[in-house]
Amino acid sequence: MTRLVVASGNAHKVAELRFTLADGAPGVDVLGLCDLPGPMPTIEETASTFAGNARLKAEGVAAWLRGQGEPPDTVVLADDSGLCVDALGGAPGVHSARFAGEDASDADNNRRLMAELERHGVHESPGHYVCVLALVRVDGGPVFGNQAAALFEGRWDVMVRRIARGDGGFGYDPHAWLDDRTVAELSPADKRSRSHRGRALRGLLERMRDGM
Ligand code: IMP
């Protein structure tokens, strides 16, 4: 049984990953930071890329787990994601979660996004969501053969519009359009099957099926 710790205190995220991996990669015991004793480590996301931040989170949590006496072959999975808007030169990008400030809500971030589109004089712009998953071992040893960190990336092209619709999903979804509807109008299952996160996760699952 491989122990996999999700580098997140978000019980919802952990439950979703547990559900997906139970089906696609049996033999993996999925835990979240909230399932482990002790205060959760805080890791600063200081990298300029999604991959860099996902790796910082995975390696930071691996180092913390090492200090807690976690077995060396436990693996840590971290993710970083966000929305990149062409007309804004790729912003908010890695700053998506805090576009309107440190403790910004989704509504605050969407207001800032709309203000930026207006400032650039556009009503819509192509954009894309990105999700990068990073998987490392607690002892820093190779994962899948010879890599110190295995990275899986998913991208989802959308049209970002000032007009918003729908109340599903989260974050920028009400402004992220696919043809005639927004991501906030998709069912959770439909979103999972098409999203940047779903794609990255399927990449990881394929590798895990071949064995750790
Ligand atoms: P993090 O990956 O938890 O750092 O958060 C990334 C941020 O990107 C979120 O707070 C959202 O603002 C945005 N984001 C990432 N994925 C999605 C998505 O699927 N829909 C809408 N917004 C997203």
Side-chain angles (χ1 to χ4, degrees), residues 53-135:
N53 280 328
R55 201 168 165 167
L56 275 179
K57 283 188 248 185
E59 288 172 347
V61 168
W64 176 78
L65 286 171
R66 222 162 30 238
Q68 304 278 109
E70 184 68 30
D73 60 348
T74 294
V75 288
V76 180
L77 181 68
D79 75 335
D80 196 41
S81 59
L83 174 70
C84 303
V85 181
D86 293 6
L88 307 181
V94 292
H95 305 294
S96 290
R98 45 189 191 281
F99 197 33
E102 250 343 289
D103 297 311
S105 65
D106 285 348
D108 296 335
N109 286 332
N110 276 312
R111 263 193 298 277
R112 166 93 198 269
L113 180 66
M114 294 309 107
E116 291 296 320
L117 288 179
E118 193 172 352
R119 202 164 65 80
H120 285 76
V122 294
H123 281 274
E124 63 176 36
S125 166
H128 58 275
Y129 281 123
V130 176
C131 173
V132 176
L133 297 173
L135 190 72

Side-chain angles (χ1 to χ4, degrees), residues 8-18 32-35:
S8 167
N10 182 331
H12 197 77
K13 219 181 222 182
V14 177
E16 189 172 338
L17 267 167
R18 185 175 287 136
L33 285 180
C34 37
D35 301 316

Side-chain angles (χ1 to χ4, degrees), residues 1-2 6 12 21 36 43 47 83 100 104 111 129-130 148-149 155 161 172 185 191 202 206:
M1 191 67 138
T2 303
V6 183
H12 197 77
L21 291 176
L36 300 169
I43 290 137
L83 174 70
R111 263 193 298 277
Y129 281 123
V130 176
R155 174 183 164 130
R161 296 204 168 111
Y172 300 101
E185 293 177 300
K191 182 175 173 186
R202 282 192 291 281
E206 268 168 39

Side-chain angles (χ1 to χ4, degrees), residues 13-46:
K13 219 181 222 182
V14 177
E16 189 172 338
L17 267 167
R18 185 175 287 136
F19 174 81
T20 312
L21 291 176
D23 219 26
V28 178
D29 185 17
V30 179
L31 304 159
L33 285 180
C34 37
D35 301 316
L36 300 169
M40 285 193 276
T42 315
I43 290 137
E44 298 293 332
E45 297 178 34
T46 51

